[in-house]
Amino acid sequence: MLSPARTGLGWGLLGVAAFSLTVPLTRVAVGGGGLSPLFVGSGRAVIAALLAAVALAVTRQRPPRGAQWARLAVVAGGVVAGFPLLTSFALTTASAGHSAVVIALLPAATAVIAVLRTRERPPARFWLMAAAGALAAIGFASLRGGGSGGLHWSDLLLIVAVLAAGVGYAEGGLLSRELGAWQTISWALVLSAPLMVALTAYSAAQHPPAGTPGAWAAFAYLGVISMFLGFFAWYRGLAIGPMAQVSQIQLVQPVMTISWAALLLHEDVTWSTVLGGLTVIASAALAVRTRLNRAPGTA
């Protein structure tokens, strides 16, 4: 029988493995699969919201109260609307491997936003490592296109997507202590459903979806796994714990994503991608570990 620690790590790894396919499959859906980025980014949330509504109804969850709805709106804006929509548009031109390196900044960004949100006072080393990761990600993105310099518009979208997700993850981590882990993302999905349905309908009216079978399969994965079931495994792992160890599993996600991009999309893994990814991941890992060592009970 597995120990609770190994069980938590196993569930956490399962969640990260599910999320690691998000970027490559988004690229499949919007990068030639025939589906528009607005349809993919909003439609996947509609699918997940339907599943969330069923789960909440079957388990008879108590609705949030008062200010919790406003906080859920922050979570929804970050991880239900912001990150999926921004990355869907970015991946119309950016490769999955390139995007994975920029998105590797997410754990550090989440830690920084959580520090600001909870008014922690981490050591200077935390800020140094977080800044190093940000500079590495921006520097890597600026070298795109054979070292021509300057950020491409898709890189700017990816950076904003990281910030949006960081806000959503940080607020969601705090709110999950009150509502429960999977309940938080489920209520956020339900809250955002009217807007996502409207965006999906608008996109379908403007550009009737006519994707390839592969694009539709990727879209189904994004809605069912990336936006819903993946969170169940991830949050279950965090709940079993130890949270400090399980949370750091997310640092292997960029490596998985780059591997999937090479396997599924046949993207070349260049030395700049490897070095850029390792630098961003190492900086994020040091920043996260510094914060966890200083304040292990925080979100």
Side-chain angles (χ1 to χ4, degrees):
M1 184 175 180
L2 293 177
S3 66
R6 291 193 174 185
T7 302
L9 290 171
W11 280 107
L13 184 59
L14 180 61
V16 166
F19 294 146
S20 69
L21 278 160
T22 299
V23 169
L25 292 184
T26 301
R27 177 68 175 165
V28 169
V30 304
L35 300 178
S36 74
L38 180 58
F39 180 83
V40 172
S42 58
R44 61 193 268 193
V46 174
I47 294 175
L50 291 173
L51 297 175
V54 172
L56 291 169
V58 169
T59 57
R60 299 182 179 180
Q61 296 297 315
R62 177 183 298 177
R65 299 178 179 178
Q68 290 177 335
W69 285 110
R71 296 171 64 189
L72 279 170
V74 173
V75 177
V79 300
V80 178
F83 186 83
L85 287 170
L86 291 167
T87 53
S88 293
F89 280 98
L91 283 161
T92 58
T93 56
S95 71
H98 177 95
S99 301
V101 175
V102 180
I103 296 173
L105 189 62
L106 180 54
T110 302
V112 169
I113 293 167
V115 162
L116 297 175
R117 173 69 173 79
T118 58
R119 299 182 181 180
E120 296 175 30
R121 294 185 178 181
R125 185 169 68 256
F126 168 81
W127 297 107
L128 180 62
M129 290 299 100
L135 290 174
I138 293 173
F140 169 80
S142 297
L143 293 176
R144 183 181 178 182
S148 57
L151 291 175
H152 192 271
W153 70 270
S154 60
D155 295 315
L156 296 176
L157 289 178
L158 290 171
I159 292 172
V160 177
V162 167
L163 294 176
V167 171
Y169 280 163
E171 191 62 42
L174 295 172
L175 192 55
S176 65
R177 298 174 181 174
E178 304 170 24
L179 299 177
W182 71 266
Q183 293 91 334
T184 298
I185 186 61
S186 294
W187 284 116
L189 284 163
V190 170
L191 178 63
S192 64
L195 174 61
M196 294 296 102
V197 168
L199 290 176
T200 304
Y202 173 80
S203 175
Q206 294 295 313
H207 304 283
T212 64
W216 283 115
F219 177 71
Y221 183 97
L222 294 172
V224 176
I225 307 297
S226 295
M227 288 292 291
F228 190 63
L229 294 182
F231 280 100
F232 274 60
W234 175 242
Y235 282 137
R236 179 171 175 79
L238 290 176
I240 296 173
M243 186 177 293
Q245 294 180 22
V246 175
S247 64
Q248 293 185 73
I249 295 178
Q250 192 179 29
L251 294 165
V252 306
Q253 184 173 327
V255 178
M256 292 184 177
T257 296
I258 292 172
S259 300
W260 284 122
L263 180 64
L264 299 178
L265 304 177
H266 307 293
E267 293 184 0
D268 293 330
V269 181
T270 64
W271 280 110
S272 63
T273 299
V274 173
L275 293 176
L278 290 176
T279 302
V280 176
I281 293 169
S283 299
L286 290 172
V288 171
R289 183 176 293 274
T290 298
R291 177 175 178 257
L292 290 175
N293 289 340
R294 179 63 177 264
T298 57

